Amino acid sequence: ILKKGDIVSIDTGVKLDGYYGDSAITVPIGEVSEQTEKLLEVTKGALELAGRLPEAIEQYHTALALSPNDYEPQFALGRALLRSNNAAGAEEHFRAALETKSDSAPAKLGLAKSLFEQKKYGPASDEFAEYLKANPGDSGTHFQRAEALLDADRLDEALAELDRSATSGPPAPEALKMRGEILMRQKKWPEAATALKQAMSAAPHDNEIPAWL
């Protein structure tokens, strides 16, 4: 007999033409203890980390149905959908997460990445900028914002953002290559050639760079 505070696991399997498939979901009955709730959250996260994304997404959907106004299931579902290459679905849930917790840097970054994957480069660059206000030292995100700005044809901004992505040590080949592409599109031919020659020296197997030169 089920009672409030229990958790129920439903596991289904299908065998068809020699193929097997299964799906499982765990749901709480009414309110559960804090310890049980934590166990369910850890289980969903473990499924995602193990690469079992369809099952994790199913669990997150269930959690969201039970707590539609909570930040955590909205954000977790957005993250899992983005990892599943469903950028449009991820965008929806990252936006919903931000409605609940407007200062969430991880949700801002997730939203920016989901927009970037949909080739919405202008809005993506703006969301990257929002994230970077709280995390100015994230060089990888500066670089990705530079990519978004380049694809949005905002070349001066892209070059400035690329400079902000620089870290100590020699420039990475992809940074040199991007610099060369930006300078080419700005028709700054000598500076573009210098950057591309440096990129070719750093990445001699990149066949695209000699074609640009």
Side-chain angles (χ1 to χ4, degrees):
I1 299 175
L2 299 176
K3 61 183 185 299
K4 288 183 179 180
D6 287 346
I7 56 174
V8 178
S9 215
I10 304 168
D11 197 345
T12 60
V14 176
K15 177 182 177 183
L16 180 65
D17 298 332
Y19 293 93
Y20 294 84
D22 72 275
S23 181
I25 190 167
T26 302
V27 294
I29 305 298
E31 292 185 5
V32 295
S33 68
E34 186 177 338
Q35 183 178 8
T36 300
E37 189 173 342
K38 181 65 175 177
L39 174 63
L40 292 172
E41 289 300 319
V42 169
T43 300
K44 291 192 283 282
L47 287 170
E48 185 180 346
L49 288 172
R52 296 167 63 178
L53 290 172
E55 293 168 75
I57 289 168
E58 194 172 3
Q59 294 278 5
Y60 292 142
H61 272 299
T62 300
L64 190 57
L66 294 167
S67 304
N69 297 318
D70 281 1
Y71 165 84
E72 291 296 342
Q74 291 283 13
F75 173 75
L77 186 51
R79 181 185 61 205
L81 288 168
L82 186 59
R83 292 184 64 195
S84 299
N85 299 316
N86 182 351
E91 178 190 349
E92 176 187 347
H93 289 286
F94 285 130
R95 288 192 185 280
L98 285 166
E99 286 180 10
T100 304
K101 191 175 179 182
S102 61
D103 62 345
S104 169
K108 289 176 182 178
L109 181 59
L111 176 58
K113 289 184 175 182
S114 66
L115 291 166
F116 185 87
E117 291 301 319
Q118 295 175 80
K119 303 185 188 305
K120 299 177 180 179
Y121 298 119
S125 68
D126 295 339
E127 293 299 334
F128 280 128
E130 285 298 312
Y131 165 81
L132 286 165
K133 287 178 183 177
N135 298 272
D138 187 339
S139 59
T141 300
H142 279 295
F143 183 82
Q144 193 165 14
R145 182 168 189 255
E147 287 185 287
L149 290 164
L150 172 59
D151 288 324
D153 206 32
R154 291 159 59 179
L155 301 179
D156 291 340
E157 292 175 79
L159 196 57
E161 197 66 39
L162 184 61
D163 288 338
R164 284 190 282 271
S165 76
T167 57
S168 60
E174 59 269 20
L176 290 166
K177 184 177 177 181
M178 186 189 292
R179 182 176 298 278
E181 183 178 357
I182 294 169
L183 292 167
M184 276 198 307
R185 288 169 64 172
Q186 292 179 322
K187 299 183 179 180
K188 296 179 179 179
W189 309 118
E191 295 96 325
T194 298
L196 290 172
K197 286 175 182 177
Q198 291 174 330
M200 188 165 60
S201 177
H205 301 297
D206 188 327
N207 295 324
E208 191 173 32
I209 300 173
W212 288 355
L213 286 168

